Amino acid sequence: MSKTVLVSSPSHFSQLLNNSTIVVVDSIAPIYEQLSAQLSRPQKIAFAKVDTERQKQVKQTYGVKALPTFMIFKDQQVVSTVEGADPRRLSDVVKKLAAEADADGSGGFGEARKADPGWSGIPLPKGYEDVTDQVDVRGLDLLNSDSNLGDARTLFNASKPSALASGKNNEDPSGSEAKKDWVESDTDEQLMLFIPFQSTLKVHTLQITSLPPKGTEQEDDDIPMRPKTIHLYLNRAHILGFEEADDVSATQTVTLQPHDWNNATGTAKIELRFVKFQKVSSLVLFVAEGDGDREKVRIDRVKIIGEKGEKRELGKLEKIGDEAGE
């Protein structure tokens, strides 16, 4: 669900600028809701919409002349303006500033410090980029997840997982005040995730981050596992049911071993058969087994690495190719 704030008055807008370090203001564009869902942070990064017909004082104060206009504020000052429908530029500007805010909350926009568009658990393969921002978050679907924890959108959050931010992935920050920014399976170890994209992608690699706490007692069966066996299905129009997946050939099946996981970040790299992932409009990721004999699997983040292609009309997924599993 979008976390965008609808500005109701000039005083409301002033209050929003005062309460959040970064405020991004829009005059309506589809990608805006996706950025809002991915990057909003309480009292840190806020997204707002101003109806310039109703809030003419705000329009005049900030010199809004064209629609749509996107204005990015930092510490109550305008640091960037994007006029017109330029979703890629808007995404790049907002994610750069969000990365700076997540780093330490200090320093000005555009300073010498280099900031990636988002946190990454392991280096990107040479020649490819993080295309996770092409995930159509409105169409995500996730089956068999624990409703008390994060949802599908949590997996594509650009920020560092809280288990790493606290520096304590050996303890489960599951107290009532903790930020539960991960996903766990519910009734058994399986998870089914449907990932639609805004454009047709060439997908080279997936990065899966899983940070289960390191238990100290063998009888603690509640500690979740990392994924082990993952089936990938290409260009499905919707999510697969668990029984349905048994009757459909996967485009690729991956078995992760303990040495595949980065010890520092809990991230594993899944290298895909690139020739099969040249025209990807959606992926279904099916975690069939965990790496042990317990009942739950945990995933903190998923990143998509590859190349961006042509934009598609959102809401329409077409089956591409006629190979088994496609």
Side-chain angles (χ1 to χ4, degrees):
M1 182 178 294
S2 171
K3 299 179 180 179
T4 304
V5 178
L6 182 61
V7 174
S8 58
S9 67
S11 61
H12 182 201
F13 187 57
S14 296
Q15 182 182 12
L16 185 65
L17 291 177
N18 187 57
N19 289 343
S20 297
T21 303
I22 296 168
V23 179
V24 189
V25 180
D26 155 57
S27 298
I28 305 175
I31 195 172
Y32 189 80
E33 295 295 333
Q34 297 161 13
L35 290 170
S36 174
Q38 290 178 337
L39 299 176
S40 292
R41 312 277 193 277
Q43 296 184 323
K44 199 168 191 180
I45 303 175
F47 286 73
K49 283 188 176 182
V50 176
D51 184 337
T52 54
E53 291 301 314
R54 294 185 177 183
Q55 306 300 329
K56 293 184 179 180
Q57 182 178 335
V58 174
K59 177 181 178 180
Q60 293 172 357
T61 299
Y62 294 98
V64 177
K65 298 178 181 179
L67 295 178
T69 292
F70 305 88
M71 304 181 73
I72 296 91
F73 295 75
K74 183 170 183 179
D75 296 327
Q76 305 182 49
Q77 300 295 320
V78 178
V79 293
S80 186
T81 300
V82 178
E83 292 185 345
D86 190 345
R88 180 164 293 187
R89 184 184 170 208
L90 175 65
S91 178
D92 289 345
V93 170
V94 172
K95 288 190 174 183
K96 180 180 184 295
L97 190 55
E100 288 187 5
D102 280 336
D104 59 11
S106 62
F109 179 78
E111 287 185 354
R113 183 201 322 118
K114 293 183 178 181
D116 293 329
W119 175 84
S120 182
I122 52 178
L124 302 185
K126 187 176 181 180
Y128 298 96
E129 62 179 324
D130 183 349
V131 294
T132 309
D133 63 347
Q134 294 301 298
V135 172
D136 180 4
V137 295
R138 295 174 298 179
L140 289 169
D141 201 358
L142 180 63
L143 300 182
N144 193 40
S145 64
D146 187 336
S147 60
N148 294 316
L149 301 173
D151 58 14
R153 295 187 181 198
T154 302
L155 297 173
F156 301 97
N157 194 316
S159 65
K160 180 185 292 187
S162 62
L164 291 177
S166 65
K168 295 181 179 181
N169 69 316
N170 62 329
E171 297 179 8
D172 189 352
S174 58
S176 59
E177 300 301 322
K179 178 183 177 184
K180 299 179 180 179
D181 64 335
W182 67 90
V183 163
E184 287 184 18
S185 59
D186 190 11
T187 59
D188 58 27
E189 62 190 324
Q190 296 187 331
L191 283 168
M192 187 77 72
L193 174 65
F194 175 65
I195 313 169
F197 299 110
Q198 303 172 47
S199 61
T200 302
L201 304 179
K202 294 182 179 181
V203 182
H204 180 273
T205 306
L206 301 180
Q207 293 183 4
I208 309 292
T209 300
S210 178
L211 296 161
K214 298 175 182 178
T216 57
E217 298 181 6
Q218 289 185 338
E219 63 268 26
D220 194 350
D221 292 332
D222 292 333
I223 295 177
M225 302 176 288
R226 283 174 167 163
K228 180 179 180 181
T229 303
I230 298 175
H231 303 298
L232 297 169
Y233 304 86
L234 186 65
N235 296 332
R236 309 299 300 185
H238 52 75
I239 199 165
L240 293 172
F242 290 102
E243 293 184 2
E244 184 182 3
D246 292 336
D247 299 325
V248 177
S249 297
T251 307
Q252 184 171 340
T253 296
V254 177
T255 301
L256 294 171
Q257 302 297 334
H259 61 76
D260 292 323
W261 297 94
N262 183 286
N263 290 331
T265 66
T267 301
K269 177 175 64 175
I270 298 177
E271 294 183 343
L272 304 181
R273 297 177 191 140
F274 196 36
V275 67
K276 287 184 172 287
F277 292 83
Q278 292 291 298
K279 295 182 178 180
V280 182
S281 61
S282 72
L283 281 174
V284 174
L285 188 154
F286 174 28
V287 178
E289 294 179 324
D291 64 353
D293 56 5
R294 296 188 294 278
E295 297 182 353
K296 294 189 175 185
V297 160
R298 169 169 167 164
I299 303 178
D300 293 64
R301 295 290 185 272
V302 175
K303 281 190 172 291
I304 316 295
I305 312 301
E307 299 176 4
K308 296 178 183 179
E310 295 181 0
K311 287 282 184 181
R312 66 172 180 82
E313 184 178 349
L314 294 182
K316 290 188 177 181
L317 287 173
E318 297 182 359
K319 190 174 180 180
I320 300 173
D322 54 7
E323 294 186 32
E326 293 189 17

